[in-house]
């Protein structure tokens, strides 16, 4: 059972999300919040698996609420869901520690899949946003080698980090580097642990910040 806290300043939106989540047997809505400050308090109280977070809300917005929830170090993971398809929101949400970013026009099955993925420790970004996100890092990122976290990685783990940054799945990494998928999974776990990344999205940001990865035609 995946527990969810719904955060949105619009009562009708919260009702719609609750109706959807209550319609499937493997999710449970444990609470709602109408603004960021309430979201931070209720997350601390309820410890949901996933916080379904809106961005634009009165008072504390969803970006700051996400930052505070992640900084608290609890197990709750944040999936940002917004109407606004703006790059600045995507960047800010992911840098704040969100594990995913979807638009509110996502299909119900896409939203449910995103919630399950985030609850399982994976990450998700709306396909329409992924390319623009990576293009932005290509434009503004510059290669760096001075980050001490790089020194913690073995040569193989650096290869894995670059592959993650390029958006390869574990299966693709295994095929291209001639490794078993279980070995790749172990390496990915070590890369996340050594770089302090919560999930693959955060590892992608790390790789792009260092100039280790660039958008490419797949």
């Amino acid at each position: 059972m995946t527990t969810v806290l719904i955060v949105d300043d619009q009562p009708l939106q919260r009702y719609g999300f609750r109706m959807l989540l209550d319609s499937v047997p493997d999710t449970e809505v444990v609470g709602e919040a109408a603004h960021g400050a309430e979201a931070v308090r209720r997350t601390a109280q309820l410890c949901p698996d996933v916080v379904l977070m809106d961005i634009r809300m009165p008072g504390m917005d969803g970006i700051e609420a996400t930052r505070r929830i992640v900084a608290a170090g609890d197990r709750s993971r944040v999936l940002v869901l917004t109407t606004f398809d703006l790059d600045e929101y995507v960047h800010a949400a992911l840098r704040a520690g969100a594990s995913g970013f979807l638009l509110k026009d996502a299909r119900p099955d896409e939203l449910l899949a995103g919630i399950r993925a985030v609850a399982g420790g994976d990450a998700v970004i709306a396909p329409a946003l992924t390319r623009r996100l990576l293009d932005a890092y290509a434009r503004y990122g510059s290669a760096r080698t001075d980050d001490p976290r790089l020194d913690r990685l073995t040569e193989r783990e650096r290869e894995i980090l670059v592959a993650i940054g390029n958006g390869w799945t574990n299966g693709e990494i295994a095929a291209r580097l001639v490794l078993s998928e279980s070995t790749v999974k172990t390496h990915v776990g070590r890369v996340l642990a050594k770089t302090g990344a919560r999930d693959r999205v955060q590892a992608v940001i790390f790789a792009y910040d260092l100039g280790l990865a660039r958008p490419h035609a797949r």
Side-chain angles (χ1 to χ4, degrees), residues 1-3 21 23-28 112 116:
M1 180 69 69
T2 299
T3 56
L21 296 176
S23 71
V24 294
D26 60 339
T27 61
E28 178 187 2
L112 292 171
R116 292 173 184 130

Side-chain angles (χ1 to χ4, degrees), residues 1 8 37 40 51 62-63 83 96 108 130 157 165 175 213:
M1 180 69 69
D8 198 296
V40 174
V51 180
I63 303 296
T83 305
T130 304
E157 288 165 354

Side-chain angles (χ1 to χ4, degrees), residues 72-180:
D74 296 328
R75 68 182 182 87
S76 300
R77 300 168 70 83
V78 179
L79 174 57
V80 172
L81 194 65
T82 182
T83 305
F84 302 98
D85 178 9
L86 298 178
D87 293 342
E88 61 194 85
Y89 287 155
V90 184
H91 299 162
L94 297 179
R95 286 193 175 281
S99 295
F101 194 105
L102 292 176
L103 299 177
K104 287 183 179 177
D105 62 1
R107 299 192 311 271
D109 60 308
E110 292 174 333
L111 175 56
L112 292 171
I115 289 172
R116 292 173 184 130
V118 167
D122 208 339
V124 60
I125 305 177
L129 302 175
T130 304
R131 186 73 202 181
R132 297 208 321 263
L133 175 65
L134 299 187
D135 285 343
Y137 277 102
R139 287 196 303 271
Y140 303 120
S142 58
R144 291 173 44 213
T145 58
D146 59 344
D147 193 299
R149 289 173 292 181
L150 269 182
D151 296 333
R152 302 172 193 163
L153 302 180
T154 65
E155 183 176 349
R156 174 63 82 186
E157 288 165 354
R158 287 194 185 205
E159 286 184 301
I160 298 293
L161 175 60
V162 171
I164 293 172
N166 285 328
W168 297 358
T169 65
N170 283 0
E172 290 171 330
I173 296 173
R176 298 189 192 202
L177 299 184
V178 195
L179 300 169
S180 69

Side-chain angles (χ1 to χ4, degrees), residues 206-218:
F206 179 60
Y208 273 76
D209 280 346
L210 296 181
L212 299 176
R214 286 288 183 267
H216 66 294
R218 296 193 59 189

Side-chain angles (χ1 to χ4, degrees), residues 176-188:
R176 298 189 192 202
L177 299 184
V178 195
L179 300 169
S180 69
E181 284 200 45
S182 61
T183 298
V184 170
K185 186 175 181 180
T186 298
H187 282 311
V188 169

